[in-house]
Amino acid sequence: MKNSRREFVFSISMLAASSAFPIQAFAFDKSKKLKVALVGTGIRGITFWGKRLMDEYSEILEFVGLSDINPSRLEYGKTYIGASCPTFTSFEDMVSITKPDLVIVTTKDSTHHEFIIKGLGMGCDVLTEKPLTIDEFKCQQILDAEKASNKNLIVGFNYRWSPYATKIKELISNKTIGDLVSVDFNWYLNTYHGASYFRRWHGEMDSSGSLWVHKATHHFDLLNWWINSEPNEVFAYGDLEFYGKNGPFRGKNCRTCDHKNECAFYWDIHKDEFSKKLYVDHEHADGYIRDNCLFREDIDIYDKMSAQVRYTDNTILNYSLTTYSPFEGWRVAFNGTEGRIEAWLDIPYFENTSIDEAEKHANEMAQDGGEIVSKKPIVVHKLWQEFETVQVDMEESGHGGGDKRLQDKIFVNPEVPDPFGRTAGSRDGAMSILIGIAARKSIQSGKPIKISELTDLEPQVRRT
């Protein structure tokens, strides 16, 4: 197979494939590598969209520029990624000088729209980390910018690509339980991972849009994809009752706190070598503190959340997110006209496991490995029949194998058709955040919120 750079860039807009071919099978011209620029050198930027691309796809792409507002962290990020490109504190200068084919956006959520819009306007395809943005106004600006350009916007939803999520999609698409009627979905963040959001800028509404947007965008995208319809109306409850001002004591940050011996959430960032090198060593340049107090007054997002979502095809979703669970995992149940599907991951008493919660999160985020390490069950129970258990091969690292499959799709085989439709564009990104935005507005108003009232997108009975 011979792919020119022009053909490759064009095929980004055709993203949709399942099987991942080894990179060696593609004879890309080394003199015409895809030119990539990255803005935002935080943890997701330099690991998943930085070092992993260098390690796995250097035969077909090259970093031509890195940008960040923190010049100190920017240089560390360049070294960690292993890139030899120039660095910039000005995004516009980076794009003007290096003329990338693709811009990858991994900045703070509230600034995603700035770089997406500028990148499209400056003639680049853009790939953004989730969430697309944090409110309906910025969302509309992004939609308008993509329409005005002749470029493409991709949203990096990796959860769709795990074998477990894909098997659920296959069972539903095959009408294994008939037509969907309702879905119950519960996500549990543990006191290690869940708490980490409240230490950072994610705990402030103006930066993250709350976990309704930053975290739940993953969940709502999965649900939209599984259900294969678009959300129509949302009613929600939420409150801040555990973190923030509710804490028994507070300090400036963990490392200087007087309550180290009393606080169960005390975290010594100096013992986390990677976090120290990425954040502590560079906080002098922009003041960003990674080990903020979980009980600081500035926290204004919700730590308990529940919503009902009515889809345009009349499927009803019951959703909840817990941010201080003893364990981290999720479970979902699909009720259909001919039966029920139940699925779950990482529920300890379902799986008879005692793995440390911090280790579990580290394994999920790691990008090494990829071998099959276990089998996980999905229960299918048809009406008037005995239940059956479907076993799915699982990988431990990279979000259950979803990370590598997403990147293989984007950078290796974008033109191969995917029967599961796992690639996400701007509409998918918008529909996932609009549920969270509507939930936030519903809590504030005490009323149900129509999705069609937020942007000019009209929800469809079937995903388009």
Side-chain angles (χ1 to χ4, degrees):
M1 182 179 293
K2 295 182 179 179
N3 286 24
S4 69
R5 182 178 63 173
R6 179 178 297 178
E7 290 168 340
F8 176 79
V9 174
F10 173 77
S11 67
I12 288 177
S13 65
M14 304 297 289
L15 288 174
S18 54
S19 60
F21 295 101
I23 194 168
Q24 290 79 7
F26 290 78
F28 288 97
D29 186 341
K30 291 181 182 290
S31 67
K32 295 183 178 180
K33 292 182 178 180
L34 184 78
K35 297 193 295 183
V36 178
L38 173 75
V39 56
T41 55
I43 187 168
R44 189 66 171 168
I46 70 170
T47 58
F48 182 57
W49 295 114
K51 181 174 172 53
R52 190 175 194 280
L53 294 193
M54 282 290 296
D55 290 347
E56 301 294 330
Y57 308 104
S58 58
E59 294 182 25
I60 57 174
L61 63 80
E62 63 179 335
F63 281 96
V64 295
L66 302 175
S67 177
D68 199 291
I69 59 173
N70 186 320
S72 178
R73 188 171 63 238
L74 181 57
E75 290 304 318
Y76 172 76
K78 176 181 175 179
T79 301
Y80 183 87
I81 292 170
S84 58
C85 61
T87 58
F88 303 83
T89 54
S90 166
F91 175 79
E92 291 88 344
D93 286 350
M94 177 179 71
V95 175
S96 297
I97 293 170
T98 67
K99 295 179 171 50
D101 302 307
L102 178 69
V103 168
I104 301 177
V105 178
T106 59
T107 60
K108 185 164 69 171
D109 296 355
S110 57
T111 63
H112 281 186
H113 71 294
E114 296 178 23
F115 302 108
I116 293 171
I117 293 169
K118 289 176 182 177
L120 292 170
M122 297 178 76
C124 304
D125 287 309
V126 178
L127 188 157
T128 183
E129 252 297 331
K130 60 81 192 167
L132 182 64
T133 186
I134 66 168
D135 64 45
E136 68 272 32
F137 307 110
K138 295 180 177 68
C139 181
Q140 187 64 62
Q141 291 171 12
I142 291 171
L143 296 173
D144 292 342
E146 188 182 27
K147 289 177 184 176
S149 74
N150 63 346
K151 295 299 176 179
N152 306 290
L153 174 60
I154 310 160
V155 183
F157 284 124
N158 51 348
Y159 280 25
R160 294 183 181 196
W161 290 87
S162 77
Y164 195 78
T166 299
K167 176 56 71 173
I168 294 172
K169 175 69 173 178
E170 179 183 355
L171 292 169
I172 294 171
S173 299
N174 290 344
K175 300 287 186 180
T176 305
I177 57 170
D179 296 324
L180 280 185
V181 175
S182 64
V183 183
D184 301 303
F185 188 96
N186 311 107
W187 196 285
Y188 312 100
L189 289 169
N190 61 29
T191 48
Y192 173 80
H193 186 201
S196 73
Y197 291 112
F198 293 83
R199 299 185 195 278
R200 300 175 275 172
W201 52 261
H202 304 74
E204 298 170 20
M205 193 76 72
D206 288 346
S207 293
S208 69
S210 80
L211 293 180
W212 275 121
V213 175
H214 175 80
K215 183 62 179 175
T217 185
H218 264 319
H219 314 154
F220 295 139
D221 177 69
L222 268 179
L223 289 156
N224 293 347
W225 175 61
W226 281 332
I227 294 169
N228 200 35
S229 184
E230 293 185 335
N232 184 281
E233 186 177 81
V234 180
F235 184 80
Y237 290 104
D239 214 333
L240 177 64
E241 293 183 343
F242 189 84
Y243 298 109
K245 61 185 178 182
N246 301 289
F249 34 69
R250 58 188 48 84
K252 183 179 178 182
N253 53 51
C254 270
R255 81 192 81 151
T256 62
C257 187
D258 294 331
H259 304 283
K260 295 178 183 179
N261 297 325
E262 306 167 70
C263 183
F265 288 95
Y266 170 66
W267 174 50
D268 187 350
I269 194 171
H270 287 280
K271 291 184 178 180
D272 184 334
E273 184 178 359
F274 180 63
S275 293
K276 179 184 179 298
K277 289 181 177 179
L278 180 58
Y279 296 113
V280 177
D281 291 352
H282 315 291
E283 62 188 28
H284 63 276
D286 61 2
Y288 175 51
I289 307 299
R290 179 61 181 80
D291 61 335
N292 271 314
C293 180
L294 293 169
F295 307 117
R296 65 191 187 280
E297 298 281 352
D298 292 340
I299 294 174
D300 61 354
I301 66 170
Y302 309 105
D303 56 24
K304 72 171 186 180
M305 289 151 277
S306 177
Q308 276 205 321
V309 182
R310 181 164 60 86
Y311 281 77
T312 312
D313 70 351
N314 211 35
T315 299
I316 300 297
L317 163 66
N318 299 297
Y319 170 88
S320 70
L321 174 61
T322 301
T323 62
Y324 43 91
S325 170
F327 61 86
E328 179 142 337
W330 58 272
R331 51 186 171 188
V332 63
F334 301 89
N335 299 299
T337 56
E338 298 177 19
R340 175 180 170 92
I341 293 172
E342 294 190 20
W344 63 89
L345 284 180
D346 299 323
I347 307 298
Y349 40 84
F350 285 178
E351 302 182 358
N352 192 29
T353 179
S354 58
I355 187 172
D356 176 79
E357 292 294 318
E359 182 184 351
K360 181 195 297 183
H361 180 63
N363 290 341
E364 183 180 68
M365 297 299 290
Q367 297 300 327
D368 53 354
E371 68 280 359
I372 296 171
V373 296
S374 63
K375 291 182 179 291
K376 301 294 185 183
I378 298 173
V379 175
V380 178
H381 200 160
K382 296 186 178 182
L383 298 181
W384 302 292
Q385 298 181 30
E386 292 294 321
F387 70 86
E388 298 179 3
T389 302
V390 177
Q391 297 289 345
V392 183
D393 290 334
M394 292 293 295
E395 299 168 17
E396 187 175 67
S397 64
H399 294 92
D403 285 354
K404 70 175 185 180
R405 286 170 171 80
L406 168 65
Q407 288 186 343
D408 279 347
K409 177 58 185 153
I410 294 172
F411 298 109
V412 179
N413 56 339
E415 74 292 340
V416 181
D418 176 13
F420 304 112
R422 286 170 290 189
T423 301
S426 57
R427 187 177 183 102
D428 296 292
M431 283 298 170
S432 69
I433 62 168
L434 290 176
I435 297 178
I437 293 166
R440 207 171 60 208
K441 288 179 165 293
S442 177
I443 294 169
Q444 295 164 353
S445 67
K447 300 176 181 179
I449 303 296
K450 294 280 190 182
I451 295 293
S452 60
E453 296 173 353
L454 301 177
T455 68
D456 64 7
L457 295 178
E458 190 66 34
Q460 303 296 308
V461 175
R462 288 286 167 257
R463 288 175 57 252
T464 55

